[in-house]
Amino acid sequence: MGKQAFDEIMGTPGDTTARPELAALGHWIEETPDAELRRRQEAAETTFRQLGITFAVYGENEAAERIIPFDIVPRVFLHDEWTRLSEGLVQRVEAINAFLNDIYGERRILKEGILPEDLVLGNAQFRPEIAGIRPPHGVWAHICGIDLVRTGPDDFFVLEDNARTPSGVSYMLENREAMLRLCPELFREFRVAAVDSYPDLLLETMKSVAPHGTGSNPTCVLLTPGHYNSAYYEHSFLADSMGIELVEAADLVVDDDIVWMRTIAGRVKVDVIYRRIDDDYLDPLVFRPDSALGVPGLIAAYAAGNVAIMNAPGNGIADDKAIYSYMPDIVKFYSGGECKLRNVETWRCREPQALKYVLDNLEDVVVKLVDGSGGYGMLVGPTASKQEIEDFRAALIAEPHRYIAQPTLALSTVPTMADGGLSPRHVDFRPFVLSGSKGVQVVPGGLTRVALKEGSLVVNSSQGGGTKDSFVLMKDQSQRMGAGGMTQTMGGMSQTLGTMLPSAGADT
Amino acid sequence: MRLSIDHHTIYRFTQPQGRLVQMLRLTPENTHDQTVASWRIDVDCDARLRPGRDGFGNAVTMLYAEGPVDGIEITVKGEVLTSHSDGVLRGVHETLPPALFLRATEATAHDAAIAEFAADAVVGARDRIGALHRLNRALHQQFVFDAGRPEPGLTAGAAFRKDSATPRDMAQMFAVAARSLGAPARYVSGYHHTDFEVVHFPTPHGWAEAHVDGLGWVGFDPCTGMSPEEHYVRVAMALDAAGAAPVAGSRLGEGGEELDVDVVVQRED
């Protein structure tokens, strides 16, 4: 917006040189001709297109699928910045797990009046069908994709806690793959934490939550709605990388409260299911009876403690937009300390005073549907037309409870290739946080989305957003990688270039 | 009162099925005024039965049968001792707070016509319990009793626009109406005995419960305009009839199915 934004590479507004820690990146940007940057960017996009990493835009009639544009200039987190951010993420995800354990169990948080009872019990995302079930090891939110924005070096704000089936991790992996191939000099200049161990960490997480008594080598599967799903590439890519079966509902049967996978060699007992289908479609006996995507009896097997489902059914209550504004209280309640990661200030339009403020300031705020996603049903006041503002005013007056509003923040920018050369563009960030039976860990990287339109704050790929690689610098930057150091090692796993073809899914 | 229940559910398939998975809510539990003396579920084919519990706390039985199956008969037989309760439910372990039952579902969506009917029905009531009894009687008077099998998928709102109603539809309308008055309400499935001789019912019975502060959950049966008493056996409850369904089933195979249900409730003393 018109406000002066923090640039993650160039630093505070007005600076003409890069932040001191990123001087080398500043030189790289300056010295690499635009034409060369464009050539590399096109090479990356050609690869993505060949791999079929495309997505369909809702509301567009033409069947043509698009690739999400890729920008060649990475965004970079300094080691200390990342450490502090990670602490906040771990605290937040631990609280989300504790909240879900409580809300489907004792409901202490309601009894103590921290949350209004009707906000939870009357919320469609609170699923009574699974009340009383405790998932194996008490882990609910195995994979969280916490959406953040940034306004300064250490100023992060959470936009959304995606605790259901967050997608986009394949972009994190594939963007890194492209950067290693196309800009190897950057990895000589900086020691960048590797992200390629993600599939191994994910598999480790899956195995760690297998039901007690499963044995040392539990059977894990990835359950996909099928190849028509816009994130199917990500599903198949992750299953491949982990070396586990990619299954559809028809491949699974429940017998005697145990989940079995049909294979040519006969039935194999399934211990852990990473499902990429929504709760509604999981089990037609418990949720939507017309669902053909689900596995009849799955919830009974789950309730009997014979299978782990990740993420756990019922998680939607934790990342619901109506609950979001209470997250700082929720974190405080379960962690006993102050919430390290801030929320964006949020006006709940169900509250008359908040509604009045929002109606008086529509030109300055962002208005969102409580149950919307993907940038749909959203008003960005400062860039909206008069007509759009008046339409939202009418909608707000008619159904205030369906909306929340937030101030427009001076979102950080990162230099991005535009028509006239490199130019700052606003970004957001989705790090991936894994919760297993041994604790919570943050993968050092994530998905950076960039609003390619000048001044735009909307990063959704369906609304003209692109992606970038996200570098997390390692602690010791003095030992840089050698010229041949294109194998990255982390968590005991290594990846050598050119051996893996990553694919992508759609963003939510 | 000693009540005996004989409940047969028969599915016949036009083509053999590869597998059946069913969730049965067919097991009553003890309450302060209801003691299950004997109860058994039998199936006429090679099936595995596993006991469990759903999110509402109902006892469920999972049924798993491997095909080929061209039909299945589920037989439920039992005896239950009941006592006078004034319609008030006591001695049940509740897993969810009353406020949850203010929630609407697809079949029990908020309906302006039902809400208006409810508001009219309770004019003059002195308190919540009085209002709910008025509502119960008003619904009873409004509809001709339909003894047939309920129409699949009929919502409370659509049922309200008809002249006659089945027990299921009456109970779902009661739930919508009570919730519109701010009273948590839910659907209950079970059995009831009528004073006639042997009667064959085409389905188990359905009625409603509403929550009243100070009293707890109170039963209301709009089919009679009264509260359920000792001639009722309570089995399962949920936000609507589908959630408390005696049989939720899934089958793997082509073709259609025919369903035949026969329920007989007799008084033994």
Side-chain angles (χ1 to χ4, degrees):
Chain A
M1 299 330 314
K3 283 179 239 173
Q4 292 281 290
F6 165 70
D7 190 280
E8 300 195 6
I9 293 173
M10 304 309 287
T12 45
D15 280 0
T16 50
T17 55
R19 303 172 69 190
E21 302 87 343
L22 301 179
L25 188 60
H27 292 145
W28 178 80
I29 289 174
E30 253 172 49
E31 285 160 13
T32 316
D34 281 2
E36 173 61 13
L37 292 177
R38 281 213 176 83
R39 187 194 65 74
R40 295 184 191 182
Q41 194 158 302
E42 278 159 21
E45 291 185 348
T46 302
T47 309
F48 298 160
R49 197 172 284 113
Q50 282 164 352
L51 292 170
I53 306 160
T54 56
F55 73 100
V57 179
Y58 297 104
E60 278 190 2
N61 287 325
E62 60 266 45
E65 295 206 321
R66 303 201 310 222
I67 62 158
I68 299 185
F70 171 68
D71 186 78
I72 198 83
V73 182
R75 79 107 61 95
V76 184
F77 296 98
L78 304 184
H79 179 76
D80 291 349
E81 294 167 357
W82 182 259
T83 304
R84 286 186 287 270
L85 174 60
S86 298
E87 284 169 6
L89 289 168
V90 169
Q91 181 197 42
R92 192 148 178 128
V93 170
E94 283 175 349
I96 287 172
N97 277 302
F99 172 62
L100 287 163
N101 249 329
D102 185 33
I103 210 72
Y104 287 110
E106 282 184 79
R107 285 179 288 277
R108 252 185 340 119
I109 195 163
L110 298 186
K111 287 168 194 156
E112 298 196 17
I114 310 289
L115 282 184
E117 198 181 51
D118 68 308
L119 198 70
V120 173
L121 300 177
N123 192 316
Q125 296 299 336
F126 177 75
R127 309 301 304 242
E129 297 90 344
I130 54 96
I133 300 177
R134 194 179 148 83
H137 307 274
V139 181
W140 294 75
H142 309 81
I143 304 154
C144 283
I146 308 287
D147 284 348
L148 300 160
V149 291
R150 188 180 193 186
T151 60
D154 277 319
D155 298 311
F156 291 93
F157 295 88
V158 176
L159 283 183
E160 258 177 45
D161 298 285
N162 296 293
R164 284 174 248 189
T165 52
S167 59
V169 79
S170 55
Y171 289 99
M172 170 180 87
L173 298 166
E174 132 225 325
N175 288 354
R176 176 60 52 82
E177 179 96 359
M179 288 302 285
L180 282 164
R181 184 161 50 85
L182 296 167
C183 304
E185 68 274 22
L186 286 178
F187 296 88
R188 286 193 292 271
E189 210 58 65
F190 295 103
R191 294 188 70 220
V192 180
V195 292
D196 58 286
S197 57
Y198 179 80
D200 301 289
L201 298 177
L202 182 58
L203 185 59
E204 214 172 84
T205 302
M206 289 185 80
K207 289 182 172 177
S208 83
V209 296
H212 291 286
T214 302
S216 59
N217 199 17
T219 302
C220 304
V221 299
L222 195 157
L223 175 61
T224 173
H227 63 277
Y228 293 112
N229 186 271
S230 59
Y232 182 72
Y233 292 107
E234 181 160 301
H235 307 164
S236 65
F237 165 63
L238 286 174
D240 258 12
S241 321
M242 287 190 280
I244 66 173
E245 292 295 328
L246 178 68
V247 299
E248 296 185 24
D251 300 318
L252 300 179
V253 291
V254 181
D255 193 359
D256 238 2
D257 287 357
I258 289 169
V259 184
W260 302 89
M261 167 171 55
R262 290 185 238 249
T263 74
I264 38 172
R267 282 177 166 191
V268 175
K269 180 174 176 284
V270 172
D271 304 303
V272 185
I273 300 173
Y274 174 21
R275 51 78 178 238
R276 292 294 294 258
I277 64 181
D278 292 343
D279 286 1
D280 270 345
Y281 302 97
L282 268 184
D283 180 348
L285 299 187
V286 175
F287 299 114
R288 282 180 65 146
D290 55 342
S291 165
L293 301 173
V295 184
L298 179 58
I299 296 298
Y302 175 60
N306 293 335
V307 69
I309 300 176
M310 61 191 266
N311 288 354
N315 274 14
I317 190 64
D319 65 15
D320 185 70
K321 285 195 179 72
I323 298 291
Y324 163 84
S325 61
Y326 292 91
M327 274 308 289
D329 304 315
I330 292 173
V331 172
K332 195 173 172 183
F333 182 71
Y334 296 108
S335 74
E338 285 303 318
C339 186
K340 292 176 187 169
L341 271 180
R342 279 173 284 176
N343 264 21
V344 180
E345 187 181 0
T346 300
W347 294 285
R348 304 168 189 137
C349 298
R350 72 207 296 257
E351 297 169 5
Q353 280 199 317
L355 177 65
K356 183 177 182 308
Y357 178 86
V358 171
L359 290 174
D360 289 347
N361 294 279
L362 275 178
E363 294 79 4
D364 301 323
V365 299
V366 177
V367 183
K368 293 177 183 173
L369 265 179
V370 168
D371 51 8
S373 74
Y376 295 96
M378 181 169 160
L379 173 82
V380 181
T383 57
S385 69
K386 282 219 159 65
Q387 186 59 46
E388 284 168 326
I389 288 183
E390 289 319 305
D391 289 350
F392 260 80
R393 187 185 305 282
L396 272 165
I397 292 169
E399 297 182 293
H401 60 279
R402 293 190 65 199
Y403 295 92
I404 55 165
Q406 294 170 334
T408 48
L409 300 175
L411 295 200
S412 61
T413 57
V414 177
T416 298
M417 187 52 72
D419 288 343
L422 288 174
S423 172
R425 291 289 183 272
H426 296 293
V427 292
D428 82 348
F429 187 52
R430 175 180 290 185
F432 294 91
V433 186
L434 298 175
S435 301
S437 64
K438 294 171 196 86
V440 177
Q441 57 186 330
V442 185
V443 180
L447 170 64
T448 291
R449 296 187 299 181
V450 52
L452 295 173
K453 266 192 279 179
E454 185 170 9
S456 171
L457 296 171
V458 184
V459 295
N460 303 83
S461 53
S462 52
Q463 314 275 310
T467 68
K468 282 173 174 291
D469 194 4
S470 316
F471 285 13
V472 173
L473 299 189
M474 294 172 78
K475 187 165 184 163
D476 187 1
Q477 287 297 314
S478 60
Q479 294 177 323
R480 287 175 189 159
M481 295 241 154
M486 294 187 44
T487 299
Q488 291 187 291
T489 305
M490 172 129 189
M493 271 301 299
S494 68
Q495 172 207 343
T496 306
L497 291 184
T499 57
M500 187 163 59
L501 296 181
S503 312
D507 56 340
T508 55
Chain B
M1 201 177 273
R2 190 176 189 98
L3 298 171
S4 78
I5 287 103
D6 196 347
H7 174 189
H8 295 261
T9 306
I10 302 162
Y11 287 93
R12 285 188 201 86
F13 307 114
T14 56
Q15 292 182 39
Q17 302 296 304
R19 288 177 53 76
L20 293 180
V21 180
Q22 297 185 329
M23 182 162 65
L24 314 178
R25 291 187 193 82
L26 290 170
T27 308
E29 295 194 275
N30 293 339
T31 71
H32 188 275
D33 297 297
Q34 164 174 311
T35 305
V36 182
S38 68
W39 200 265
R40 56 177 298 147
I41 301 174
D42 286 299
V43 182
D44 72 340
C45 66
D46 185 13
R48 283 164 296 284
L49 301 180
R50 302 279 299 197
R53 216 163 265 288
D54 69 12
F56 291 92
N58 300 309
V60 301
T61 305
M62 293 300 297
L63 180 158
Y64 303 96
E66 206 63 41
V69 196
D70 45 22
I72 186 169
E73 177 167 1
I74 303 160
T75 305
V76 177
K77 276 184 200 289
E79 285 198 345
V80 178
L81 295 162
T82 61
S83 58
H84 184 68
S85 67
D86 282 322
V88 178
L89 185 64
R90 290 189 208 93
V92 170
H93 174 67
E94 295 286 345
T95 58
L96 292 159
L100 180 98
F101 297 91
L102 286 166
R103 192 191 271 214
T105 65
E106 220 166 289
T108 60
H110 178 78
D111 183 272
I114 296 179
E116 195 187 328
F117 175 84
D120 287 346
V122 303
V123 169
R126 283 205 309 258
D127 52 15
R128 172 61 54 85
I129 183 75
L132 292 167
H133 279 299
R134 280 176 195 236
L135 172 63
N136 198 29
R137 282 193 296 272
L139 277 171
H140 173 62
Q141 283 157 12
Q142 180 79 4
F143 294 94
V144 176
F145 180 74
D146 175 354
R149 184 161 295 151
E151 181 186 330
L154 186 72
T155 64
F160 187 72
R161 282 152 188 82
K162 300 186 165 208
D163 299 324
S164 63
T166 63
R168 180 201 70 180
D169 297 328
M170 300 271 260
Q172 292 199 141
M173 284 188 265
F174 182 92
V176 172
R179 288 172 196 158
S180 76
L181 299 171
R186 61 198 189 188
Y187 184 92
V188 182
S189 68
Y191 304 98
H192 77 314
H193 175 256
T194 55
D195 285 333
F196 311 108
E197 286 174 38
V198 177
V199 180
H200 291 263
F201 296 102
T203 62
H205 193 49
W207 62 96
E209 284 173 353
H211 192 266
V212 180
D213 286 339
L215 269 180
W217 288 100
V218 183
F220 295 92
D221 186 355
C223 291
T224 63
M226 317 267 279
S227 281
E229 258 299 343
E230 56 193 330
H231 45 297
Y232 284 68
V233 174
R234 184 183 183 276
V235 177
M237 64 78 181
L239 288 163
D240 59 16
V247 180
S250 146
R251 58 192 171 87
L252 182 71
E254 303 282 309
E257 69 182 32
E258 245 178 62
L259 171 63
D260 197 13
V261 180
D262 180 55
V263 178
V264 176
V265 183
Q266 284 179 287
R267 190 173 168 172
E268 298 293 318
D269 52 6

